[in-house]
Amino acid sequence: MGGTRTSGTQVIRGGGGRGGLGSVLSGIAVAIGFVLFLGGFVWGALTYQPYTVPTDSMVPTVRPGDRVLAQRIDGDRVRRGDVVVFTDSVWSDSPMVKRVVAVGGDTVKCCGAGGRLTVNGKELDEPYLDDSHVTPLDPTTVPVPGGASDTTFEVKVPQGNLFLLGDHRAASLDSRAHLQESGQGTVARSAVSARVDALAWPSMSMVERPRAYAALPGGISEPGPLRLQLAAVVAGAALVVVGAAYGPVTRVLGRGRRRERGDGR
């Protein structure tokens, strides 16, 4: 009977002591982890759309075949320097990716001193450019080595519109190719469906907002919530793993302690 009472005492201590509290906490950790993990994925799916870049017009920022994550936004939220996904029937029936260099009310011109792009008379430093020159869009124009464009232009952007250029200026069919059309190559803000926030494949990296546009009215856009969503997914996965591992780990440790005491049970 004495052995039976001792065994009963051990069971009671195991159920109401640290083991019981640990099991409750591990269950809570797993539940919170699932919420964070699934919530991060759902939030990301609602906020971002994947897009595969088909051409080399945005090299070196994104390359042909790159998979990018574009935040779903209204065109009214677009700022200068943003890389956007848009569809304009005059340009193409398929979505295209270009960089916004000027917005409604701006006067955009090329080229200023040293072959730089100017917006409202301010020369822009564009470190994202691929300054190699292939074939000029205008065969009568001589390329300026390291210049912002192989063609010269000056456009007053209509209100509600955007002037869009590729980062690989020598190989990009962009607003410069539509200068003679209505709007002088500009695209309505309503044509924009998303803003590129990050490269997802073959490497993972954020698309930086160019500081060159920060001093202009309206400044530059803020990054989307991608980093926060990724943090939620990673933290959720970690909590699930740690919480789920609690039971097996404590059982293994318990067996180890019994062996050390010489207890065969």
Side-chain angles (χ1 to χ4, degrees):
M1 292 180 67
T4 302
R5 284 194 298 271
T6 302
S7 177
T9 302
Q10 290 173 346
V11 171
I12 292 172
R13 287 176 179 171
R18 294 180 181 177
L21 178 60
S23 297
V24 171
L25 293 177
S26 69
I28 293 174
V30 170
I32 294 174
F34 270 120
V35 171
L36 287 174
F37 186 80
L38 296 177
F41 266 115
V42 172
W43 185 16
L46 294 174
T47 308
Y48 287 92
Q49 66 182 52
Y51 180 76
T52 301
V53 178
T55 70
D56 64 350
S57 69
M58 284 299 295
V59 170
T61 304
V62 289
R63 301 180 182 278
D66 281 359
R67 193 79 164 169
V68 300
L69 294 176
Q71 182 185 3
R72 294 181 174 92
I73 61 168
D74 293 329
D76 291 342
R77 296 172 58 190
V78 171
R79 299 288 183 270
R80 301 178 194 88
D82 288 344
V83 177
V84 297
V85 180
F86 68 98
T87 305
D88 187 289
S89 59
V90 175
W91 292 40
S92 172
D93 292 329
S94 301
M96 303 182 71
V97 177
K98 303 293 179 186
R99 188 182 295 275
V100 177
V101 298
V103 299
D106 288 343
T107 296
V108 56
K109 179 181 177 180
C110 195
C111 296
R116 289 186 174 185
L117 192 74
T118 69
V119 175
N120 302 330
K122 176 181 173 60
E123 289 196 355
L124 299 180
D125 179 22
E126 299 183 276
Y128 46 77
L129 285 185
D130 181 325
D131 60 6
S132 62
H133 292 282
V134 189
T135 303
L137 298 175
D138 181 354
T140 65
T141 302
V142 178
V144 178
S149 175
D150 291 331
T151 57
T152 59
F153 57 86
E154 183 172 354
V155 174
K156 175 75 172 180
V157 183
Q159 291 294 339
N161 282 24
L162 306 168
F163 195 85
L164 304 160
L165 297 178
D167 289 355
H168 191 183
R169 299 283 163 80
S172 175
L173 291 172
D174 45 41
S175 287
R176 296 168 299 164
H178 302 275
L179 292 173
Q180 305 307 315
E181 299 166 5
S182 175
Q184 291 186 279
T186 61
V187 171
R189 283 180 175 271
S190 58
V192 174
S193 60
R195 177 173 54 213
V196 176
D197 228 12
L199 277 69
W201 189 91
S203 61
M204 184 70 182
S205 62
M206 301 297 293
V207 174
E208 299 297 329
R209 270 55 171 178
R211 304 305 305 176
Y213 298 91
L216 293 171
I220 55 178
S221 63
E222 294 295 327
L226 183 60
R227 285 192 174 97
L228 184 58
Q229 292 165 352
L230 290 175
V233 170
V234 172
L239 283 173
V240 170
V241 170
V242 171
Y246 173 81
V249 168
T250 54
R251 284 194 293 272
V252 170
L253 294 176
R255 285 196 296 268
R257 286 194 293 268
R258 287 196 294 271
R259 291 194 190 97
E260 290 175 1
R261 294 197 305 266
D263 189 346
R265 293 177 296 176

